């Protein structure tokens, strides 16, 4: 069973998971918290700040990449060499040169580094999401001639890439598949509890890792940034705020039974802000009848004066109110208006 911590506020989800990890520490259980690459350091800091222990040995905060390294360091390398990003680019460039005569839309592109990088990313997506021959056959049924030709050439490039690396190298996606195979057939990490935080979406390959952990008997907990009203009703079906989160939630339900834990919103400061959050995108928003204390409007004559006024306000918040820059967010409707 997958335990899902559900709230529309990511910070509250993280706090709840940190509390669960603290309970694991007290019970002498080992935990691994997996977060996106860019959040590893901050999550490590936040975890230590949130629990009553100054140092912990039985908890690791990892990304998928560092988790792979963590496992490989303990179970050993496969017989193939790991393929770096630069080596992958070189291999794809060579392939484009070798099969150039077979290409039409993508001919003479081997010298275009942006195109080569795009093909490298596309190959990663194909492998990450388990796109098989059946997927490409469905594309061939398309009425769009250009689309059919593009995917035909993409498939040709992909097949040549697979021939080149299959016996000798492991790229990023293959290395994760190797980890999945290792965990599936061993008792390594069997006593660990796994927590996944700050993910809006996971590829099929990464979900395969989750599936293997569940089959082994590991406790798996996910935080999902989602409003429960969006989850079980259709009244917000025209909005896209939580589309990726709902997609992830439904994917998890296909893997195993899901136990939902919905967090309350009592710690959100300001009833007026709570009201704004609930009604901002509603077709028929309710009017807030109490005195507004936490929402302010700043009218400016131009985008330039608007930027200047916002800068003055931020300066005041930092210097007088001791607000930190990391706690300030700026949201704009059209960034092109503010480029100059």
């Amino acid at each position: 069973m997958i335990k899902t911590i559900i709230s529309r506020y990511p910070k509250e989800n993280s706090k709840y998971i940190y509390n669960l990890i603290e309970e694991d520490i007290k019970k002498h259980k080992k935990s691994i918290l997996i977060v996106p690459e860019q959040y590893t350091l901050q999550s490590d800091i936040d975890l230590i700040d949130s629990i009553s222990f100054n140092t912990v040995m039985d908890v690791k905060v990892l990304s998928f990449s560092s988790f792979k390294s963590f496992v490989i360091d303990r179970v050993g390398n496969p017989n193939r060499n790991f393929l770096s990003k630069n080596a992958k680019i070189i291999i794809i460039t060579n392939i484009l040169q070798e099969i150039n005569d077979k290409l039409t839309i993508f001919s003479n592109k081997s010298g275009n580094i942006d195109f080569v990088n795009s093909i490298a990313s596309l190959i990663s997506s194909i492998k990450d999401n388990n796109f098989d021959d059946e997927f490409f056959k469905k594309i061939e049924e398309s009425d769009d001639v250009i689309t059919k030709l593009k995917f035909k050439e993409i498939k040709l490039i992909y097949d040549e890439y697979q021939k080149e690396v299959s016996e000798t190298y492991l790229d990023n996606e293959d290395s994760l598949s190797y980890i999945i195979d290792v965990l599936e057939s061993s008792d390594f990490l069997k006593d660990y509890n796994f927590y996944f935080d700050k993910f809006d979406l996971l590829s099929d390959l990464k979900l395969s890792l989750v599936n293997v952990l569940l089959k082994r008997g590991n406790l798996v907990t996910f935080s999902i940034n989602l409003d429960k009203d969006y989850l079980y009703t259709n009244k917000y079906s025209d909005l896209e705020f939580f589309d990726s989160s709902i997609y992830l939630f439904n994917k998890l339900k296909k893997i195993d039974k899901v136990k939902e834990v919905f967090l309350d919103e009592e710690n959100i400061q300001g009833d007026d802000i709570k009201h704004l959050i609930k009604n901002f995108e509603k077709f028929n928003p309710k009017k807030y009848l109490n005195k507004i204390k936490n929402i302010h409007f700043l009218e400016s004559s131009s985008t330039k004066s608007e930027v200047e006024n916002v800068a003055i306000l931020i300066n005041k918040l930092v210097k007088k109110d001791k607000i930190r820059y990391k706690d300030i967010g700026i949201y704009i409707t059209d960034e092109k208006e503010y480029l100059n």
Side-chain angles (χ1 to χ4, degrees):
M1 179 179 288
I2 304 171
K3 188 175 184 178
T4 55
I5 314 304
I6 299 175
S7 166
R8 58 184 297 151
Y9 306 103
K11 190 173 182 180
E12 301 307 314
N13 285 344
S14 297
K15 283 184 178 179
Y16 191 93
I17 282 183
Y18 298 155
N19 289 336
L20 292 178
I21 291 175
E22 183 173 17
E23 291 301 314
D24 287 345
I25 297 170
K26 292 177 180 177
K27 296 175 182 177
H28 304 289
K29 293 182 178 179
K30 297 180 180 180
S31 306
I32 290 180
L33 171 61
I34 298 181
V35 298
E37 189 82 43
Q38 66 269 29
Y39 292 117
T40 49
L41 177 59
Q42 190 59 52
S43 296
D44 213 341
I45 295 170
D46 291 343
L47 173 62
I48 295 299
D49 289 343
S50 301
I51 62 178
S52 57
F53 298 89
N54 294 325
T55 57
V56 289
M57 297 296 293
D58 292 336
V59 180
K60 297 192 179 298
V61 180
L62 305 170
S63 65
F64 274 100
S65 295
S66 54
F67 175 70
K68 287 188 293 185
S69 300
F70 173 73
V71 175
I72 289 171
D73 286 345
R74 285 152 181 81
V75 301
N77 290 320
N79 294 326
R80 291 186 281 167
N81 296 319
F82 288 105
L83 190 69
S84 68
K85 182 178 179 181
N86 290 336
K88 185 176 183 178
I89 295 298
I90 293 172
I91 288 175
I92 293 172
T93 301
N94 291 337
I95 289 171
L96 290 172
Q97 291 172 348
E98 291 171 1
I99 65 171
N100 189 62
D101 293 340
K102 300 178 182 178
L103 302 175
T104 302
I105 294 179
F106 299 144
S107 64
N108 302 318
K109 296 286 189 181
S110 61
N112 186 334
I113 187 61
D114 291 331
F115 175 78
V116 176
N117 277 315
S118 296
I119 291 295
S121 298
L122 190 55
I123 288 174
S124 294
S125 296
I126 290 171
K127 301 177 82 168
D128 221 9
N129 292 285
N130 296 325
F131 292 156
D132 53 13
D133 290 338
E134 192 66 32
F135 168 79
F136 287 99
K137 286 179 181 178
K138 288 182 180 179
I139 300 296
E140 290 176 4
E141 298 171 2
S142 171
D143 295 329
D144 190 330
V145 177
I146 300 298
T147 299
K148 289 170 66 174
L149 184 56
K150 281 183 178 179
F151 275 89
K152 181 180 179 181
E153 295 190 0
I154 289 169
K155 179 68 162 56
L156 177 61
I157 297 169
Y158 173 73
D159 287 343
E160 290 298 322
Y161 172 82
Q162 284 296 89
K163 288 179 187 176
E164 190 71 29
V165 304
S166 60
E167 298 298 328
T168 312
Y169 300 106
L170 278 176
D171 60 17
N172 189 50
E173 291 71 39
D174 288 335
S175 61
L176 182 56
S177 296
Y178 168 72
I179 296 302
I180 292 171
D181 291 340
V182 167
L183 293 179
E184 199 167 19
S185 59
S186 71
D187 292 332
F188 180 55
L189 301 178
K190 68 175 183 178
D191 297 323
Y192 279 75
N193 292 338
F194 283 82
Y195 299 90
F196 295 82
D197 189 25
K198 299 182 176 70
F199 288 102
D200 291 323
L201 202 60
L202 283 182
S203 68
D204 288 350
L205 187 58
K206 290 172 181 173
L207 286 170
S208 296
L209 172 63
V210 176
N211 192 24
V212 166
L213 294 175
L214 290 166
K215 288 180 178 179
R216 286 159 39 93
N218 294 101
L219 185 150
V220 174
T221 301
F222 265 85
S223 75
I224 299 181
N225 181 28
L226 183 62
D227 189 317
K228 62 182 178 182
D229 289 337
Y230 288 72
L231 189 59
Y232 292 116
T233 67
N234 293 321
K235 60 181 179 180
Y236 301 119
S237 59
D238 57 329
L239 301 180
E240 300 177 353
F241 288 153
F242 300 109
D243 277 4
S244 59
S245 299
I246 291 173
Y247 183 78
L248 174 59
F249 179 78
N250 289 331
K251 282 279 190 178
L252 294 175
K253 285 175 67 177
K254 290 180 180 179
I255 293 175
D256 203 345
K257 292 181 180 179
V258 170
K259 178 183 178 182
E260 303 102 333
V261 176
F262 296 105
L263 304 186
D264 59 43
E265 303 169 6
E266 294 303 317
N267 51 4
I268 302 170
Q269 295 182 355
D271 290 335
D272 48 359
I273 293 180
K274 289 181 186 177
H275 182 86
L276 178 65
I277 290 170
K278 288 290 187 183
N279 291 272
F280 186 71
E281 289 289 339
K282 278 188 177 180
F283 180 71
N284 291 312
K286 295 180 181 179
K287 187 174 182 180
Y288 186 71
L289 302 176
N290 299 324
K291 185 178 179 180
I292 297 174
K293 298 178 181 179
N294 300 289
I295 301 171
H296 307 277
F297 289 90
L298 184 63
E299 187 174 352
S300 303
S301 58
S302 66
T303 53
K304 181 180 178 181
S305 62
E306 182 183 355
V307 171
E308 291 173 347
N309 289 334
V310 170
I312 292 170
L313 179 60
I314 292 175
N315 197 38
K316 174 185 175 296
L317 290 173
V318 172
K319 292 185 177 179
K320 291 187 177 181
D321 299 338
K322 306 301 180 184
I323 302 295
R324 299 178 67 182
Y325 284 115
K326 74 179 185 67
D327 297 321
I328 299 173
I330 299 177
Y331 298 88
I332 56 179
T333 53
D334 185 1
E335 62 180 83
K336 293 179 181 179
E337 293 185 25
Y338 301 89
L339 287 177
N340 297 318

